[in-house]
């Protein structure tokens, strides 16, 4: 009987061993089928990215090596002459400085303001939801419309804000016409419009932090501020890094609000790289599209380097670029 049991056990093991490869093959087939389905779902997005991102990007690199204009005249190959010209163009360096100043102030202010408000909106109460919705509303509006509204409000002749402040004895200067105040005003409008987006992302991340961590910190005697700095912020570190990277990329491409509110002035104090690209390629004769494309390539490389450095120091050590 014992021998029969051993033989039966051996037969069962052999049968199981024969069946295992079939199961593994079935899993591989299912995985391949899932991958094909995933690629099919991604195909429309990849097609859109190819047509509207990758093809124009390659085209910009190619056009930057020519002297073609927007009427498609010229088109002779000039090599790196456009880049040499841009290197010696004082307006390129001025636009680079203005872009960096805007970014260095707008991005930290937006993130810090969102973090500060998040500290008072940690719970998912109705009032907190209402505030998040109110702060998010400006973000869904067009930047052009927001800029027009603020330009009307700040107009020194007919604006509501200068009029109301004059009633209490405060004379508001021409903020958008002042070389000193134009850039801070544009930065303020940009932060006012966009910080609701950052606040929404950070709020969603904070609600995902385990309540047990707060309970443990409270038992250890940690106050509200200590819980926020030592529990909440570490718990949403990756979300903070994501917000820094996305707002940084957006800030380096700033154009709408400056074009509407100041037009790059006064005295080119608010002219940024995208604004200068538009001016040289589409607004000022001879509409040198090749030269504008070379500045666009320079901006692309600047964004790529700054984004890579920010990602390196914004996310955890275990994350890879």
């Amino acid at each position: 009987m014992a021998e029969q049991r051993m033989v039966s056990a051996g037969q069962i093991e052999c049968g199981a061993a024969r069946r295992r490869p079939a199961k593994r093959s079935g899993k591989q087939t299912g995985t391949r089928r899932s991958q094909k389905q995933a690629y099919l779902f991604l195909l429309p997005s990849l097609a859109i990215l190819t047509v509207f991102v990758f093809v124009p990007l390659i085209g910009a690199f190619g056009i930057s090596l020519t002297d073609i204009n927007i009427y498609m005249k010229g088109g002779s190959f000039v090599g790196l002459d456009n880049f040499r010209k841009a290197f010696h163009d004082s307006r390129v360096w001025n636009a680079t400085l203005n872009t960096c100043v805007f970014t260095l102030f707008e991005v930290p202010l937006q993130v810090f303001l969102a973090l500060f408000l998040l500290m008072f909106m940690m719970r998912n109460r109705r009032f907190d939801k209402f505030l998040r919705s109110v702060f998010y509303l400006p973000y869904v509006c067009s930047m052009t419309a927001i800029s027009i509204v603020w330009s009307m409000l700040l107009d020194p002749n007919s604006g509501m804000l200068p009029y109301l402040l004059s009633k209490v004895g405060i004379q508001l200067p021409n903020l958008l016409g002042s070389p000193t105040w134009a850039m801070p005003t544009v930065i303020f409008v940009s932060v006012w419009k966009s910080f609701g987006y950052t606040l929404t992302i950070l709020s969603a991340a904070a609600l995902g932090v385990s309540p047990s961590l707060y309970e443990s910190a409270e038992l250890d005697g940690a106050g509200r501020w200590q819980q926020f700095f030592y529990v909440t912020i570490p718990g949403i570190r990756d979300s903070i890094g994501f917000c820094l990277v996305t707002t940084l990329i957006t800030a380096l491409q700033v154009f709408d609000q400056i074009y509407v509110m100041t037009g790059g002035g006064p005295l080119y104090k608010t002219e940024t790289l995208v604004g200068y690209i538009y001016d040289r390629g589409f607004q000022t004769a001879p509409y040198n599209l090749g030269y504008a494309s070379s500045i666009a390539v320079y901006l692309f490389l600047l964004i790529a380097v700054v984004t890579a450095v920010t990602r390196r120091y914004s996310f955890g050590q275990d994350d890879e670029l």
Side-chain angles (χ1 to χ4, degrees):
M1 294 294 293
E3 292 178 356
Q4 292 178 352
R5 290 176 181 174
M6 293 177 62
V7 172
S8 299
Q11 292 175 348
I12 292 172
E13 290 179 359
C14 291
R18 285 194 298 268
R19 287 193 298 269
R20 282 172 190 163
K23 289 184 178 180
R24 190 174 301 141
S25 177
K27 290 182 180 179
Q28 292 176 354
T29 304
T31 301
R32 291 174 182 173
R33 187 182 298 110
S34 299
Q35 289 177 347
K36 290 180 180 179
Q37 292 175 351
Y39 286 132
L40 287 175
F41 281 112
L42 290 173
L43 187 60
S45 298
L46 291 175
I48 293 174
L49 284 174
T50 301
V51 173
F52 294 102
V53 177
F54 298 130
V55 171
L57 183 61
I58 296 172
F61 276 97
I63 294 174
S64 67
L65 303 177
T66 68
D67 63 351
I68 194 171
N69 59 25
I70 60 174
Y71 303 110
M72 298 302 169
K73 295 181 180 179
S76 60
F77 181 78
V78 297
L80 299 178
D81 287 351
N82 286 327
F83 294 94
R84 296 191 188 98
K85 181 181 177 181
F87 183 78
H88 294 91
D89 191 342
S90 59
R91 284 184 65 180
V92 171
W93 295 112
N94 175 70
T96 302
L97 176 62
N98 292 334
T99 302
C100 293
V101 168
F102 178 88
T103 303
L104 289 175
F105 283 94
E106 197 268 347
V107 174
L109 282 174
Q110 185 180 153
V111 176
F112 289 153
L113 179 59
L115 285 171
F116 176 76
L117 293 175
L118 176 65
M119 186 166 48
F120 303 99
M121 301 165 56
M122 292 292 296
R123 300 177 183 178
N124 205 23
R125 299 171 299 187
R126 288 186 178 180
F127 184 66
D128 294 337
K129 294 179 180 179
F130 171 75
L131 289 179
R132 284 196 290 267
S133 300
V134 170
F135 293 143
Y136 188 75
L137 279 177
Y139 180 75
V140 302
C141 299
S142 167
M143 176 59 82
T144 301
I146 293 291
S147 302
I148 292 174
V149 170
W150 275 101
S151 298
M152 295 173 63
L153 290 174
L154 296 174
D155 187 276
N157 298 318
S158 59
M160 184 178 69
L161 290 180
Y163 172 77
L164 294 177
L165 291 176
S166 65
K167 292 298 182 180
V168 295
I170 300 176
Q171 295 297 324
L172 193 67
N174 185 6
L175 297 178
L176 297 177
S178 168
T180 303
W181 293 104
M183 181 62 79
T185 304
V186 173
I187 292 173
F188 165 77
V189 173
S190 301
V191 172
W192 178 85
K193 178 189 183 299
S194 303
F195 82 93
Y197 164 79
T198 305
L199 176 62
T200 301
I201 293 179
L202 296 183
S203 298
L207 292 174
V209 178
S210 176
S212 61
L213 297 177
Y214 294 103
E215 294 174 1
S216 300
E218 189 174 357
L219 290 174
D220 290 337
R224 185 172 182 177
W225 285 82
Q226 292 173 319
Q227 292 179 28
F228 182 77
F229 283 106
Y230 295 105
V231 177
T232 305
I233 290 183
I236 63 174
R237 179 185 57 181
D238 289 345
S239 297
I240 295 175
F242 170 80
C243 291
L244 283 173
V245 170
T246 53
T247 55
L248 183 68
I249 294 172
T250 303
L252 288 172
Q253 300 178 81
V254 58
F255 173 72
D256 299 15
Q257 56 270 53
I258 288 179
Y259 181 77
V260 173
M261 299 179 72
T262 65
L267 303 176
Y268 303 114
K269 289 296 184 179
T270 60
E271 184 177 63
T272 58
L273 283 171
V274 178
Y276 188 46
I277 291 169
Y278 175 78
D279 178 75
R280 292 305 302 267
F282 303 97
Q283 199 169 30
T284 302
Y287 312 110
N288 194 331
L289 197 60
Y291 183 60
S293 297
S294 67
I295 304 174
V297 172
Y298 160 68
L299 176 59
F300 169 78
L301 296 176
L302 176 64
I303 293 174
V305 171
V306 174
T307 301
V309 173
T310 305
R311 279 180 54 86
R312 175 65 180 84
Y313 293 101
S314 297
F315 292 87
Q317 296 296 326
D318 296 334
D319 297 330
E320 297 180 356
L321 291 177

